[in-house]
């Protein structure tokens, strides 16, 4: 430590204050009893005229406690509430005298004692403490002292405490005022001209719009080209209009029910889509390419229904897709500076909806991280009619973020310049640490939940203050007038010009040009569906070359002995014709060929690397040193990436993420796999409101695939059913494929068909009721020759004698295999089993043709192992009634209706299952 000065000593007390003071006592008794660094600190302090002497030690202790309290609790006294300031109890008053130190004593201490980074900025500790008080209790309040990482915490402290005074130029202030006038003027015009129409006004947190615009400027300085925005309905119309620059004519057209697309810019910079059913205007998104910040930037606002926070993981998934390069073999390359996620939350929804926590939990996980999302809480201080006291158990709406070690900035929404400063700090932090950060933009809500509500009936005290509070254009305009930046006349002229501009746009619209329809149907190309064409690209030689490469491990790599023996079996189908390719092997070959065709594959889910049932082993772990190897990364001639990740124990956020990823990268075969199919219902909102309706509502297409383990195998009610019936209930207008397979070759070709139609107008989600016991079942496994020059078959049946067949049984998945195994033991020409591989779209024409040729047909039975009120029976019967000839009877074979999907006792399952099979197979 020789030659080092006080400025280099480790003066970062924080919660270590008590320990430091104990060390000082030890130093006074014996300087050599403490480290050289602490000796330097105490020696320099004692050498200073007012340093730590016996007489003023208590004063310094008091000052240090005061500093800690200001940093820890300053937010409780901060000027962050435009209206309706809450009352906090037992808040420190930060009076130096109460900490045992006077102003005069503070003036005798060096500013560097307050913090080394303030030493050269202030003459003494008193000036430095005053500065800190102003910083921590001003229009931006800070919470970061909870962060565990000392380096990160110190960086935040120095960034916050060293920030320069906010000093925008005259032109910058005028531009900010113009933008705020547009934001507020837009709302005023709509409120006046479309009385009672829902728009979910942004008023009260208007500064969110210039905040997002300023974020684009800052991103341009960092050369970041993409911004992904997610938000609920409040303020969406304003963000669309002033951030994505959707013309006034288009927005007003939507209020008038005329065709807005007539006014879309000709330059192609604005991308908007709509489905055949459409959606309300405040759920719609879009994308805009802008070049006004110095670089070309694409801003995307995600479509979102009324389910508020569910869009959060979707936006993160879209961001990750933009950050990845996937047009190469191996794993994707990831660049955090290609895109940023900005997620706008509601103050009631942020602590109230669990998907927020699930999304924040993705922040540092390898398969999901995006280098830090910027969370903005649009804090209206109310949720519908529920005030803060009834909507959360925490002081702030943002407090959930503290558990993830994230910094929180609370900012007064009526202080526009401070709002811009908050986003500057947020992006700077994101770039430094690649972590999420939260901005709590605290304002109010000008009207009720929608513009027809009268909030004073339920929230009288809050709305007394809101109704007497001026709008942001008036507030900031008056500030600029008082600063002599503009005159009163200039202020009024700028405000009035917005209404004039909107009136001019309004006058361009022909109100008779109605967009109201009396008939709505899907587009023809969607209704055409997907074809099952023979795939001549698959040869024995190609598959063998792939299979050989899967065993080409890195030199010295040691596969776990028992696993090596299992994997070695995958060589046998290429050595002897009678050896079979099981489910996982077929899947691996399919992924390899899909990669060779130039389509990337992303697979994620709980235990997806190994597979829930220890069947996949997509990632191998060296049993000696733990190194990892992905055999599919070594496939020859691969032109795209293969990426597999074990997900956190979360269904909702992970499904949302993977949906967003696929929406952004439509060329990727993106797959989410449930540990058991039953668990998928934790993500039901994404199935209902996004995957299967997004094309009809928004023109947003997805090819996301779901692997949902499903079948009755005596494992009880919660490990038997992927709720097949729910997907079939949602099935319409070719919005999905639902399959329950009995052939590994058919699985191979189903995956290839799904990949083929990605990024086309016929792309659609795939739902596979994936197997459990059938993963290794010989009846399901196919020999190599079935994989060559074949196609996906929607129904499969054995050779039969037309004149002999009296009874046809139609079944899917495992129960079909049970029937096949019974048929093997008790063959009969009078029975024909049709394996219904694709449930939706239902292969009615093919079944019709088959049944027509059976002249002696007496009965068609639909067999399922699910209860009668579940499974595919209710869905399939209308199709079968149309297909079955009048001479034949239609029957049901399966479990009776039940509130529970399966028996809890394994032996009871076996008896009931056997009865179903025997009854169905009886001729």
């Amino acid at each position: 430590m020789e030659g080092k000065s006080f400025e280099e000593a480790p003066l970062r007390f924080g919660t270590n204050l008590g320990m430091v003071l104990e060390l000082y006592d030890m130093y006074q008794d014996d300087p050599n009893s403490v480290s050289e660094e602490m000796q330097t600190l105490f020696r320099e302090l004692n050498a200073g005229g007012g340093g730590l002497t016996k007489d003023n030690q208590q004063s310094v202790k008091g000052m240090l406690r005061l500093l800690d309290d200001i940093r820890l609790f300053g937010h409780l006294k901060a000027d962050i509430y435009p209206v309706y300031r809450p009352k906090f109890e037992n808040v420190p008053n930060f009076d130096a005298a109460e900490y045992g130190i006077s102003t005069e004593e503070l003036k005798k201490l060096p500013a560097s004692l307050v913090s080394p980074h303030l030493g050269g900025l202030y003459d003494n500790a008193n000036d430095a403490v005053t500065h800190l008080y102003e910083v921590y209790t001003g229009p931006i309040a800070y919470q970061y002292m909870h962060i565990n990482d000392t380096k990160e915490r110190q960086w935040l402290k120095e960034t916050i405490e060293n920030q320069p005074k906010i000093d925008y130029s005259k032109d910058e202030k005028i531009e900010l005022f113009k933008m705020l006038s547009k934001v507020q003027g837009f709302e005023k015009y709509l409120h006046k001209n479309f009385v009672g129409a829902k728009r979910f006004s942004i008023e009260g947190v208007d500064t969110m719009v210039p905040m997002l615009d300023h974020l684009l400027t800052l991103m341009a300085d960092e050369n970041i080209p993409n911004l992904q925005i997610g938000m609920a309905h409040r303020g969406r119309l304003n963000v669309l209009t002033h951030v994505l620059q959707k013309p006034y004519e288009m927005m007003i057209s939507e209020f008038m029910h005329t065709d807005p697309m007539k006014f879309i810019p000709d330059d192609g910079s604005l991308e908007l889509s709509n489905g055949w059913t459409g959606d309300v205007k405040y759920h719609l998104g879009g994308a805009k390419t802008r070049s006004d910040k110095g670089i070309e930037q694409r801003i995307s606002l995600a479509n979102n229904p009324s389910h508020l926070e569910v869009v959060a993981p979707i936006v993160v998934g879209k961001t990750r897709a933009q950050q990845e390069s996937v047009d190469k073999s191996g794993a994707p390359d990831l660049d955090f500076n290609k895109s940023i996620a900005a997620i706008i939350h509601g103050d009631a929804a942020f602590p109230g909806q669990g998907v927020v926590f699930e999304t924040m939990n993705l922040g540092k996980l390898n398969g999901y991280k995006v280098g830090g999302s910027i969370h903005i809480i649009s804090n209206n201080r109310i949720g519908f009619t529920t005030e803060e006291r009834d909507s959360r158990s925490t002081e702030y709406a943002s407090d959930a973020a503290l558990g993830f070690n994230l910094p929180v900035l609370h900012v007064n929404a009526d202080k526009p310049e401070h709002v811009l400063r908050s986003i500057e700090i947020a992006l700077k932090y994101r770039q430094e640490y690649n972590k999420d950060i939260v901005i709590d933009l605290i304002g109010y809500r000008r009207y009720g939940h929608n513009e027809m509500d009268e909030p004073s009936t339920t929230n009288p005290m809050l709305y007394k203050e809101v109704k007497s509070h001026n709008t942001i254009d008036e507030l900031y305009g008056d500030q600029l007038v008082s600063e002599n930046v503009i005159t009163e006349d200039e202020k009024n002229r700028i405000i009035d010009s917005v209404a004039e501009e909107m009136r001019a746009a309004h006058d361009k619209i022909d109100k008779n040009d109605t967009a109201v329809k009396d008939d709505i149907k899907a587009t023809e190309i969607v209704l055409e569906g997907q074809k099952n064409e023979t795939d001549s690209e698959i040869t024995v030689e190609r598959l063998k070359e792939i299979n050989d490469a899967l065993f080409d491990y890195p030199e010295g790599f040691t596969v776990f002995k028992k696993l090596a023996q299992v994997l070695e079996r995958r060589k046998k189908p290429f050595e002897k014709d009678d050896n079979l390719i099981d489910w996982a092997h077929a899947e691996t070959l399919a992924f390899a060929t899909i990669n060779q065709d130039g389509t990337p594959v992303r697979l994620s889910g709980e235990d997806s690397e190994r597979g829930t049932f220890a069947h996949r082993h997509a990632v191998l772990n060296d049993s000696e040193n733990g190194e990892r190897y992905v055999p599919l990364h070594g496939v020859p001639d691969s032109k795209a990436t293969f990426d597999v990740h074990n997900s956190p124990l979360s269904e909702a956020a992970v499904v949302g993420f993977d949906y967003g990823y696929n929406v952004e990268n439509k060329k990727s075969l993106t797959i989410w796999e449930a540990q058991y199919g039953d668990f998928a219902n934790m993500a039901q909102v994404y199935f209902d409101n996004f995957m299967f309706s997004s094309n009809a509502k928004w023109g947003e297409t997805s090819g996301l695939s779901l692997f949902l383990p499903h079948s009755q195998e005596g494992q009880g009610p919660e490990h038997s059913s992927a709720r097949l019936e729910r997907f079939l209930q949602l099935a319409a207008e070719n919005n999905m494929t639902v399959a329950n397979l009995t052939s590994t070759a058919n699985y191979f070709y189903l995956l290839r068909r799904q990949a083929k139609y990605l990024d086309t107008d016929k792309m659609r989600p795939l739902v596979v009721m994936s197997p459990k016991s059938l993963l290794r079942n010989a009846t399901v496994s196919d020999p190599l020759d079935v994989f060559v020059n074949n196609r996906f078959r929607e129904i499969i049946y054995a050779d039969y004698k037309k004149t002999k067949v009296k009874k046809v049984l139609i079944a899917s998945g495992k129960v079909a295999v049970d029937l096949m195994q019974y048929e093997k033991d008790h063959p009969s020409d009078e029975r024909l089993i049709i394996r219904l591989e694709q449930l939706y779209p239902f292969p009615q024409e093919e079944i019709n043709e088959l049944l027509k040729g059976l002249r002696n047909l007496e009965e068609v039975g639909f067999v399922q192992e699910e209860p009668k009120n579940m499974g595919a029976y209710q869905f399939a019967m209308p199709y079968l009634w149309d297909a079955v000839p009048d001479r034949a009877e239609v029957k049901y074979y399966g479990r009776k209706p039940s509130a529970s999907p399966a028996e809890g006792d394994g032996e009871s399952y076996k008896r009931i299952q056997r009865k179903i099979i025997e009854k169905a197979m009886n001729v």
Side-chain angles (χ1 to χ4, degrees):
M1 288 295 293
E2 284 301 316
K4 294 203 172 186
S5 69
F6 164 72
E7 294 300 334
E8 299 173 76
L11 191 61
R12 299 174 184 176
F13 299 154
T15 55
N16 296 319
L17 171 62
M19 183 184 72
V20 171
L21 294 173
E22 285 183 18
L23 290 173
Y24 182 68
D25 289 336
M26 292 168 59
Y27 171 80
Q28 287 182 307
D29 294 335
D30 178 9
N32 293 322
S33 65
V34 300
S35 68
E36 290 187 15
E37 290 88 347
M38 298 310 293
Q39 288 180 43
T40 301
L41 169 65
F42 298 141
R43 184 168 56 249
E44 293 286 340
L45 285 172
N46 284 344
L52 272 178
T53 66
K54 290 282 187 180
D55 294 333
N56 65 15
Q57 182 181 354
Q58 288 302 118
S59 298
V60 174
K61 286 182 180 180
M63 185 199 73
L64 296 177
R65 283 194 297 270
L66 171 61
L67 296 176
D68 264 359
D69 277 0
I70 290 173
R71 289 173 176 135
L72 281 167
F73 305 115
H75 57 85
L76 297 173
K77 300 194 77 169
D79 178 24
I80 54 176
Y81 298 97
V83 297
Y84 206 52
R85 184 179 183 87
K87 295 178 180 178
F88 297 114
E89 295 181 357
N90 303 315
V91 178
N93 64 13
F94 307 127
D95 181 354
E98 291 199 10
Y99 292 83
I101 188 169
S102 67
T103 300
E104 291 305 314
E105 287 173 309
L106 284 172
K107 288 179 179 178
K108 294 177 183 178
L109 296 172
S112 52
L113 185 57
V114 173
S115 200
H117 54 267
L118 299 178
L121 300 176
Y122 296 95
D123 293 335
N124 56 61
N126 185 65
D127 291 347
V129 169
T130 301
H131 164 73
L132 291 192
Y133 180 82
E134 292 171 352
V135 166
Y136 286 98
T137 63
I140 307 177
Y142 306 92
Q143 288 183 283
Y144 66 91
M145 294 290 282
H146 58 281
I147 292 174
N148 295 329
D149 188 301
T150 300
K151 182 179 178 183
E152 183 182 333
R153 194 170 60 250
Q154 183 66 16
W155 183 92
L156 282 161
K157 181 164 71 171
E158 293 182 10
T159 299
I160 291 164
E161 296 175 6
N162 280 351
Q163 59 183 301
K165 183 181 178 183
I166 295 175
D167 187 23
Y168 289 106
S169 69
K170 178 179 178 179
D171 289 343
E172 288 170 332
K173 290 185 177 187
I174 291 173
E175 285 305 308
L176 176 55
F177 174 57
K178 286 180 177 178
M179 180 172 288
L180 289 170
S181 297
K182 287 184 176 182
V183 171
Q184 183 61 227
F186 173 83
E187 301 290 357
K188 288 177 180 176
Y189 187 88
L190 295 178
H191 194 69
K192 178 180 178 181
N193 287 273
F194 300 98
V195 178
K198 288 184 181 180
R199 69 179 192 278
F200 298 100
S201 158
I202 201 173
E203 292 166 277
V205 287
D206 315 68
T207 44
M208 180 169 46
V209 170
M211 174 193 275
L212 291 171
D213 187 76
H214 193 50
L215 175 59
L216 288 170
T217 302
L218 300 170
M219 287 169 56
D221 293 341
E222 297 284 336
N223 203 32
I224 301 173
N226 294 294
L227 176 62
Q228 292 281 356
I229 304 173
M231 65 186 303
H233 38 287
R234 183 159 308 285
R236 175 175 286 261
L237 301 187
N238 223 306
V239 170
L240 277 166
T241 302
H242 296 115
V243 180
L244 276 73
Q245 300 177 341
K246 185 175 180 177
Y248 287 145
E249 291 88 346
M250 296 192 76
M251 192 59 70
I252 295 171
S253 289
E254 291 175 354
F255 278 91
M256 297 176 66
H257 307 288
T258 61
D259 183 8
M261 299 305 287
K262 292 184 176 181
F263 298 101
I264 195 167
D266 295 331
D267 60 6
S269 62
L270 181 61
E271 303 166 43
L272 301 173
S273 63
N274 212 345
W276 49 92
T277 65
D279 200 349
V280 292
K281 64 186 77 67
Y282 40 81
H283 290 171
L284 301 178
K288 173 72 176 181
T289 301
R290 292 173 52 172
S291 301
D292 55 311
K293 304 296 184 182
I295 66 169
E296 187 174 282
Q297 292 174 301
R298 187 174 187 272
I299 307 101
S300 175
L301 176 62
N303 298 299
N304 192 24
S306 290
H307 291 61
L308 307 177
E309 301 296 335
V310 293
V311 78
I314 292 174
V315 171
V316 179
K318 292 180 72 176
T319 304
R320 174 72 175 232
Q322 286 186 319
Q323 293 175 346
E324 286 189 348
S325 298
V326 294
D327 54 349
K328 65 179 197 61
S329 63
D333 292 333
L334 182 62
D335 182 352
F336 293 147
N337 273 4
K338 284 185 176 180
S339 185
I340 285 182
I343 307 170
I344 300 166
H345 306 270
D347 56 297
F350 190 86
Q353 297 192 345
V355 72
V356 174
F357 315 113
E358 291 187 27
T359 303
M360 287 192 290
N361 189 50
L362 301 179
K364 296 176 72 175
L365 305 182
N366 286 335
Y368 307 90
K369 62 186 179 184
V370 294
S373 300
I374 296 176
H375 300 268
I376 302 167
I377 299 177
S378 178
N379 194 336
N380 301 128
R381 313 284 307 287
I382 192 169
F384 211 136
T385 64
T386 304
E387 293 192 32
E388 296 164 323
R389 63 180 178 269
D390 292 320
S391 68
R392 64 175 188 262
S393 298
T394 58
E395 297 287 2
Y396 294 109
S398 56
D399 281 353
L402 305 182
F404 289 92
N405 261 333
L406 305 182
V408 177
L409 313 181
H410 307 276
V411 60
N412 188 324
D414 269 3
K415 305 289 184 180
E417 295 173 17
H418 289 82
V419 170
L420 301 192
R421 170 59 58 84
S422 71
I423 199 69
E424 291 169 3
I425 295 172
L427 183 63
K428 190 175 180 182
Y429 172 81
R430 187 262 185 191
Q431 293 300 94
E432 183 71 22
Y433 288 101
N434 292 134
K435 282 179 59 181
D436 292 13
I437 186 169
V438 178
I439 297 176
D440 182 16
L441 181 65
I442 301 176
Y444 56 92
R445 188 185 68 196
R446 174 68 56 184
Y447 302 104
H449 178 67
N450 62 62
E451 285 66 34
M452 296 173 66
D453 281 349
E454 175 45 73
S456 294
T457 60
T458 52
N459 312 95
M461 304 313 293
L462 170 59
Y463 276 88
K464 270 186 183 178
E465 294 194 31
V466 170
K467 289 182 177 181
S468 63
H469 191 74
N470 224 338
T471 56
I472 191 66
D473 52 351
E474 293 290 343
L475 289 173
Y476 192 57
D478 288 345
Q479 178 185 325
L480 298 193
V481 170
S482 68
E483 294 174 357
N484 295 318
V485 173
I486 57 175
T487 65
E488 184 72 26
D489 286 344
E490 288 172 325
K491 177 196 117 174
N492 293 330
R493 193 157 50 245
I494 289 169
I495 291 174
D496 293 342
S497 68
V498 180
E500 293 167 5
E501 186 180 353
M502 292 195 70
R503 171 45 63 186
H506 199 160
D507 290 343
K508 294 178 185 178
I509 302 166
D510 181 359
K511 64 181 180 182
N512 296 314
D513 184 21
T514 180
V516 177
K517 303 172 185 176
D518 57 12
D519 185 33
I520 296 174
K521 65 178 183 178
T523 60
E524 289 300 322
I525 194 162
V526 169
L527 295 177
E528 278 178 19
Q530 300 175 349
K531 295 181 179 180
N532 299 306
E533 298 170 325
T534 299
D535 194 339
S536 59
E537 298 293 317
I538 303 302
T539 64
V540 171
E541 293 75 22
R542 182 179 177 185
L543 294 179
K544 187 176 188 310
E545 183 183 28
I546 289 170
N547 205 66
D548 289 345
L550 296 174
F551 292 92
D552 189 12
Y553 304 138
E555 185 176 349
F557 190 87
T558 305
V559 181
F560 183 65
K561 186 176 180 180
K562 290 183 180 179
L563 175 58
Q565 293 170 353
V566 172
L567 295 177
E568 283 291 318
R569 295 177 199 153
R570 296 184 182 181
K571 294 180 179 179
K572 292 182 179 181
F574 294 87
E575 297 168 350
K576 289 184 66 177
D577 292 343
D578 59 348
N579 283 299
L580 304 175
I581 295 174
D582 68 14
W583 188 273
H585 193 186
E587 178 185 87
T588 301
L589 294 173
F591 288 160
T593 61
I594 289 166
N595 276 166
Q596 287 180 332
D597 294 343
T599 298
V601 177
R602 175 187 167 89
L603 168 62
S604 83
E606 294 153 8
D607 311 301
S608 286
E609 292 180 2
R610 187 201 70 165
T612 299
F613 309 100
H615 64 287
R616 178 174 292 120
H617 302 292
V619 178
L620 303 179
N621 298 277
D622 190 302
S623 59
E624 299 298 324
N625 57 29
E627 289 185 6
R628 291 158 58 87
Y629 176 65
V630 179
L632 278 166
H633 289 174
V635 170
D637 302 318
S638 178
K639 301 178 185 66
T641 57
F642 174 77
D643 202 21
V644 58
H645 294 283
N646 288 338
S647 77
L649 195 64
S650 162
E651 288 80 29
V654 177
V655 170
F657 179 101
D658 285 334
Y659 172 81
Y661 185 98
N662 182 243
V663 165
E664 190 62 39
N665 184 1
K666 299 182 190 301
K667 295 181 178 180
S668 169
L669 179 61
T670 307
I671 303 161
W672 177 74
E673 180 176 57
Q675 190 177 64
Y676 283 88
D678 316 65
F679 302 161
N681 59 16
M682 297 291 286
Q684 194 69 40
V685 64
Y686 294 99
F687 307 147
D688 294 346
N689 296 82
F690 291 93
M691 279 185 70
F692 305 127
S693 59
S694 62
N695 197 10
K697 293 189 295 189
W698 310 317
E700 179 172 282
T701 55
S702 163
L704 179 62
S705 297
L706 306 178
F707 290 177
L708 310 178
H710 170 91
S711 64
Q712 298 275 353
E713 294 178 353
Q715 295 187 25
E718 315 315 332
H719 289 83
S720 297
S721 175
R723 301 289 183 175
L724 169 62
E725 62 280 355
R726 292 183 181 170
F727 295 98
L728 294 175
Q729 185 185 44
L730 294 169
E733 300 176 313
N734 278 340
N735 64 336
M736 69 179 87
T737 300
V738 182
N740 195 6
L741 307 175
T742 62
S743 158
T744 57
N746 221 26
Y747 179 44
F748 175 92
Y749 280 103
L750 177 62
L751 292 177
R752 286 190 54 78
R753 188 185 76 173
Q754 182 69 5
K756 174 184 175 180
Y757 283 102
L758 292 171
D759 200 26
T760 71
D761 290 333
K762 295 183 178 182
M763 174 175 69
R764 64 193 185 211
L766 169 64
V767 181
V768 179
M769 298 288 115
S770 53
K772 295 179 286 185
S773 64
L774 298 187
L775 290 168
R776 300 171 178 87
N777 187 295
T779 304
V780 171
S781 301
D782 292 308
L784 178 60
D785 65 292
V786 184
F787 285 79
V788 175
N789 199 34
N790 208 332
R791 64 178 179 85
F792 176 67
R793 294 166 291 167
E794 296 178 1
I795 62 173
I796 300 176
Y797 48 88
D799 294 335
Y800 62 96
K801 297 174 182 178
K802 287 186 179 182
T803 58
K804 295 281 188 179
V805 175
K806 294 182 179 180
K807 185 173 190 175
V808 170
L809 297 174
I810 300 175
S812 288
K814 182 186 148 293
V815 75
V817 175
D818 289 346
L819 295 173
M820 292 164 64
Q821 290 171 338
Y822 186 97
E823 177 70 21
K824 184 179 179 181
D825 296 335
H826 308 87
S828 171
D829 289 339
E830 295 185 354
R831 286 190 302 258
L832 175 63
I833 299 169
I834 298 177
R835 293 141 66 187
L836 185 59
E837 302 285 284
Q838 178 174 291
L839 290 154
Y840 185 82
F842 194 84
Q844 187 163 14
E845 289 185 15
E846 203 170 347
I847 291 175
N848 284 358
E849 287 301 311
L850 191 154
L851 295 181
K852 276 182 188 177
L854 304 177
R855 290 176 297 186
N856 296 315
L857 182 65
E858 297 176 359
E859 178 189 320
V860 175
F862 189 87
V863 188
Q864 68 174 34
E865 54 188 3
E866 301 89 352
K868 191 174 184 179
N869 56 314
M870 302 178 193
Y873 170 69
Q874 304 288 349
F875 168 80
M877 286 315 294
Y879 293 104
L880 295 181
W881 288 329
D882 287 344
V884 175
D886 292 340
R887 64 181 180 275
E889 185 180 7
V890 180
K891 283 190 175 182
Y892 165 78
Y893 296 100
R895 284 168 171 78
K896 65 182 181 180
S898 172
S900 172
E903 307 84 16
D905 178 69
E907 292 303 311
S908 297
Y909 151 76
K910 290 177 183 178
R911 289 191 182 188
I912 294 170
Q913 190 81 355
R914 185 165 55 249
K915 283 175 62 177
I916 293 170
I917 301 304
E918 290 175 351
K919 187 175 181 181
M921 294 297 281
N922 182 43
V923 179

